[in-house]
Amino acid sequence: MAIIFTLFFVLSIASLFIYRNKKLALSIGFGGGAATCLISAWYFLSNMYNTNTFELFGNFLQDPYFTASTLENFFCFIISTIGFFAGIYSIGYVKDSKLNLGAFAAIYNSFILSMLMVMTATDMFAFILLWEIMTLVSGLFIYMNDHEDKNALSATMIYLGFSQIGAFCIVVAFVIMSAASGGSYEFLDFKGLEFSPAMNLTLLVLLFIGFGNKAGVWPLHVWLAVAHPCAPSNASAMMSGIMTKVALFGLIKFSLLLDITTTFAYIVMFCGAASALFGILYAAVDNDYKRTIAYSSVENIGIITTALGVGYYGLATESNFIAIIGFIAAFFHIINHATFKSMLFFASGAVTNATHTRELNILGGLHQKMPYTSYAFMIGSIAICAIPPLNGFMSEWVLYQSFIATAGEAGAMAKLMLVIAMLCIGLAGALAIMTFVKVYSAIFLGKPRDTKIYEHAKEGSLPMLFTTSTLAVFCVILGLFSATVIANLAKVTSTIFGLNLEISNLNIVKTPSVLFVLVALAVIAFIILKIFKANNSKVRLTEPWASGFKWDANMQIASQSFAGDLRKVLKFFYRNEPTVVAKNYFDKVEYSNKPKEIWWIWLYEPVVNWCVKFADKIGIVQNGKSNIYALYILIYLFVCFAAAYYIY
């Protein structure tokens, strides 16, 4: 483990020294990083049930050491695997970029290193320091883009601002736990601490807010839709595919140090269900495909969080089966989300490189120019919509089994929460199908709406095609061999929680039989057509009928009109911001309609506006006079000494 961490650190430094040589930066920075990720993935997978520790060399305030047991190995394996694909993808994605590739490669390696070290940190000081480093590095990822996005700086500041809210809650929870343990910084000393029920719930909620903020749980999710459209697609894939998993890891690890209660389980379950519903709702009405994919991350994080809520309920009620099946559903969907969401962002990056736009309303027909990207995107869309027999369906099937198992033993309140969760996730599933039918058809099907974009579009490079194609194959494999995956996850969760579960107690769908049924139904349909002598004459191709007018590609159903009825029905949950640009009488009028979340308007915009006004008011203290600044320091020291005197 120490060698792996050292390799990432060396690659980060080396990438900065070779920033003048693009080819060297690509091969050493991204190629070397991908190779190290592959080694790392193999290491954590082969040591899944072992515990490994190493101490960081050098002189520090603490003597930090890092430990990886089953929980850490599981999440580090996911990070390393997606990191490998991100490195390969980046070689093709950024080779023609205007960015400084040495600096970009250094950020890539530093980001993976920081995530791995966050997960294996064993004391409060090292964890918080590395958590903040991870946040800053990911912030640089958002800011570094070669599309000259005017919103990149504001998106970065919003992301960092939200991150500090989460970090503050985590620090407060850690400080309280440290004080209760006698001032120890070691996480091992946080186990078995006794708190009052109110304080215990407060600590759990602080941890949920802190880590849920980074994961993108409702209503702390709004930064995702701001940050991801600005970030490069390889960065978006890592932030959505694996950084959110670091947050989920933190929530699981540190919440288990406390006494899990049913109240906390209900809170987690409710917020997860709300995330699933509202995330996909905003995805359905948006016209920016990267923002749509970002919003669908909120939905999938909500599904995972709901499964965690079921697992927490099992722990709170001491029901081993419910606890294990809930966490199996969560862990399975964590793997699946990392797979198909990373692939969708990779595919969207290929589309962005080919078209230089993220607007769905002006795309179309790209399947003819980018067939391999189109097929990969279609498989990812089927997987994320939980359609059998792909992986998204299998993890959600386990989640529904956890609902049914819990309902058989739950009380009235738990049953109410389960009904809410099932309704929200069921509705989210229907909206997900609508959303990705819209996205896929608007990008790849129909006729091109903008002929210039269509003419210049071309398939992605070989590293990009390798990445998207391989991950698409993984979506199929994880679905077809879900029984094997679930059996291994049962072993992982049983090891983490020290519980036993017979895998035979799970009603696992045998995917080959499901696939056989689906194929049989398709064949039967063709047999029926043959029996009734279907019309087998050659299909006549012609332009669509346009009520007597000359047909134009812009007459096709666009992204905005596709979701028009949904906008009308659910308009309470967002506010439209229509923009009309008419340069002169003869030019085409440009119309756009960007939905704005009510959570941003109600919760965050007033705070931001107040902070801006307050900053303007206190700006007078920055007058550039050194003697005045020295006076400020003296006043501050006097206040600190006075406070310390009266406190102690």
Side-chain angles (χ1 to χ4, degrees):
M1 190 163 66
I3 296 174
I4 291 172
F5 289 2
T6 303
L7 283 173
F8 279 121
F9 179 76
V10 170
L11 288 170
S12 300
I13 301 301
S15 299
L16 294 175
F17 281 101
I18 57 176
Y19 73 94
R20 292 180 180 273
N21 191 323
K22 281 192 171 185
K23 291 184 178 179
L24 208 57
L26 282 174
S27 58
I28 293 179
F30 290 109
T36 306
C37 283
L38 191 60
I39 296 170
S40 176
W42 174 254
Y43 171 82
F44 288 113
L45 180 62
S46 59
N47 289 276
M48 184 64 68
Y49 304 104
N50 300 326
T51 300
N52 295 294
T53 301
F54 82 93
E55 187 173 345
L56 196 65
F57 59 87
N59 296 319
F60 298 92
L61 295 174
Q62 297 285 111
D63 292 324
Y65 66 96
F66 298 84
T67 298
S69 55
T70 302
L71 181 63
E72 290 81 8
N73 289 331
F74 173 75
F75 280 92
C76 286
F77 166 71
I78 295 174
I79 288 175
S80 302
T81 303
I82 301 302
F84 163 73
F85 286 110
I88 298 297
Y89 177 86
S90 298
I91 294 174
Y93 179 71
V94 302
K95 65 178 182 178
D96 298 324
S97 173
K98 301 175 184 177
L99 298 172
N100 186 313
L101 298 188
F104 203 14
I107 294 173
Y108 160 74
N109 287 286
S110 300
F111 188 41
I112 295 175
L113 175 60
S114 64
M115 287 188 288
L116 293 176
M117 295 188 76
V118 162
M119 290 205 185
T120 54
T122 58
D123 67 86
M124 184 178 83
F125 180 80
F127 183 91
I128 292 299
L129 177 63
L130 292 166
W131 181 270
E132 289 297 277
I133 291 173
M134 179 187 73
T135 299
L136 290 173
V137 172
S138 56
L140 290 175
F141 252 149
I142 298 171
Y143 185 68
M144 288 190 71
N145 67 84
D146 59 351
H147 299 295
E148 299 180 357
D149 197 316
K150 296 181 292 184
N151 300 318
L153 180 58
S154 61
T156 304
M157 297 307 297
I158 289 172
Y159 166 69
L160 293 177
F162 271 86
S163 297
Q164 292 315 300
I165 295 173
F168 174 78
C169 293
I170 295 170
V171 169
V172 171
F174 281 177
V175 168
I176 295 173
M177 296 168 75
S178 175
S181 66
S184 174
Y185 289 167
E186 300 290 332
F187 293 141
L188 286 175
D189 297 328
F190 290 1
K191 289 184 177 180
L193 296 176
E194 293 185 1
F195 296 98
S196 65
M199 178 56 70
N200 182 78
L201 181 60
T202 300
L203 291 172
L204 287 171
V205 171
L206 283 172
L207 291 173
F208 182 65
I209 294 173
F211 292 111
N213 170 74
K214 184 73 77 177
V217 177
W218 174 90
L220 303 166
H221 66 283
V222 294
W223 65 266
L224 279 90
V226 177
H228 282 299
C230 298
S233 292
N234 54 347
S236 294
M238 287 196 290
M239 291 178 66
S240 180
I242 52 182
M243 188 186 73
T244 55
K245 311 306 179 292
V246 178
L248 294 171
F249 160 82
L251 175 62
I252 296 169
K253 178 176 180 177
F254 296 110
S255 62
L256 293 178
L257 298 176
L258 300 166
D259 183 23
I260 302 297
T261 63
T262 54
T263 302
F264 178 64
Y266 298 152
I267 293 172
V268 174
M269 210 181 299
F270 176 80
C271 290
S275 298
L277 180 58
F278 290 121
I280 200 62
L281 167 63
Y282 292 124
V285 300
D286 208 289
N287 298 314
D288 183 320
Y289 57 81
K290 280 196 70 175
R291 190 158 49 237
T292 298
I293 299 172
Y295 272 128
S296 74
S297 288
V298 179
E299 178 220 359
N300 283 275
I301 292 297
I303 293 172
I304 296 168
T305 306
T306 306
L308 290 178
V310 174
Y312 285 141
Y313 181 82
L315 292 177
T317 57
E318 298 182 352
S319 175
N320 293 351
F321 180 75
I322 292 175
I324 293 297
I325 194 175
F327 283 106
I328 288 175
F331 288 166
F332 196 5
H333 206 72
I334 283 172
I335 295 173
N336 291 338
H337 180 252
T339 304
F340 54 62
K341 184 49 61 71
S342 300
M343 190 265 288
L344 287 171
F345 270 119
F346 289 148
S348 71
V351 174
T352 305
N353 271 4
T355 63
H356 302 287
T357 183
R358 303 192 308 262
E359 184 65 33
L360 287 171
N361 289 320
I362 61 176
L363 294 174
L366 289 183
H367 178 80
Q368 301 298 323
K369 290 295 190 76
M370 308 175 69
Y372 298 109
T373 301
S374 172
Y375 287 129
F377 199 100
M378 179 180 64
I379 293 173
S381 299
I382 294 172
I384 203 171
C385 292
I387 296 175
L390 299 190
N391 57 343
F393 167 78
M394 302 312 299
S395 54
E396 290 198 31
W397 171 255
V398 180
L399 174 60
Y400 279 108
Q401 284 195 63
S402 71
F403 288 156
I404 295 169
T406 306
E409 303 180 15
M413 184 63 186
K415 288 181 178 178
L416 175 62
M417 295 305 304
L418 288 171
V419 169
I420 293 173
M422 292 184 72
L423 288 174
C424 288
I425 292 179
L427 182 56
L431 289 173
I433 295 174
M434 174 183 176
T435 299
F436 282 92
V437 166
K438 176 193 76 171
V439 173
Y440 180 77
S441 59
I443 296 174
F444 296 105
L445 303 184
K447 294 288 185 179
R449 295 177 177 84
D450 190 310
T451 54
K452 290 183 179 179
I453 291 176
Y454 180 79
E455 289 170 359
H456 290 89
K458 61 179 181 179
E459 189 63 273
S461 60
L462 186 60
M464 298 166 71
L465 291 177
F466 166 80
T467 302
T468 52
S469 302
T470 306
L471 287 173
V473 171
F474 279 0
C475 289
V476 178
I477 291 174
L478 288 170
L480 293 179
F481 298 96
S482 58
T484 303
V485 176
I486 292 172
N488 283 280
L489 288 177
K491 185 178 179 181
V492 168
T493 51
S494 299
T495 304
I496 293 170
F497 299 102
L499 304 173
N500 294 320
L501 173 69
E502 291 293 333
I503 193 64
S504 58
N505 293 336
L506 290 176
N507 297 317
I508 301 174
V509 174
K510 302 299 183 182
T511 310
S513 62
V514 174
L515 185 61
F516 173 79
V517 171
L518 293 175
V519 172
L521 290 174
V523 172
I524 289 172
F526 285 105
I527 292 174
I528 292 174
L529 288 174
K530 188 68 176 177
I531 292 174
F532 288 98
K533 298 180 181 181
N535 183 6
N536 295 319
S537 60
K538 186 177 180 181
V539 176
R540 181 172 62 91
L541 298 177
T542 182
E543 295 290 350
W545 170 252
S547 300
F549 294 92
K550 183 179 180 181
W551 183 83
D552 183 81
N554 290 315
M555 294 179 179
Q556 299 174 103
I557 296 178
S559 166
Q560 197 156 291
S561 56
F562 187 88
D565 291 336
L566 185 66
R567 287 172 178 267
K568 294 176 182 177
V569 173
L570 301 175
K571 63 181 179 181
F572 171 79
F573 295 104
Y574 59 87
R575 300 293 180 266
N576 285 322
E577 290 187 348
T579 303
V580 180
V581 179
K583 297 178 181 178
N584 58 60
Y585 183 80
F586 296 100
D587 286 344
K588 182 180 177 181
V589 175
E590 298 178 3
Y591 174 80
S592 63
N593 196 342
K594 179 183 176 182
K596 193 173 184 180
E597 296 186 49
I598 59 171
W599 319 114
W600 174 263
I601 297 172
W602 290 353
L603 299 178
Y604 304 112
E605 199 168 56
V607 177
V608 172
N609 292 337
W610 181 87
C611 289
V612 171
K613 291 180 180 179
F614 182 73
D616 289 338
K617 296 295 183 182
I618 66 172
I620 192 173
V621 302
Q622 293 181 319
N623 51 24
K625 296 180 181 179
S626 300
N627 54 344
I628 299 297
Y629 293 159
L631 177 62
Y632 296 158
I633 295 172
L634 289 174
I635 294 173
Y636 174 74
L637 290 174
F638 176 78
V639 171
C640 288
F641 281 126
Y645 175 80
Y646 284 106
I647 292 174
Y648 296 102

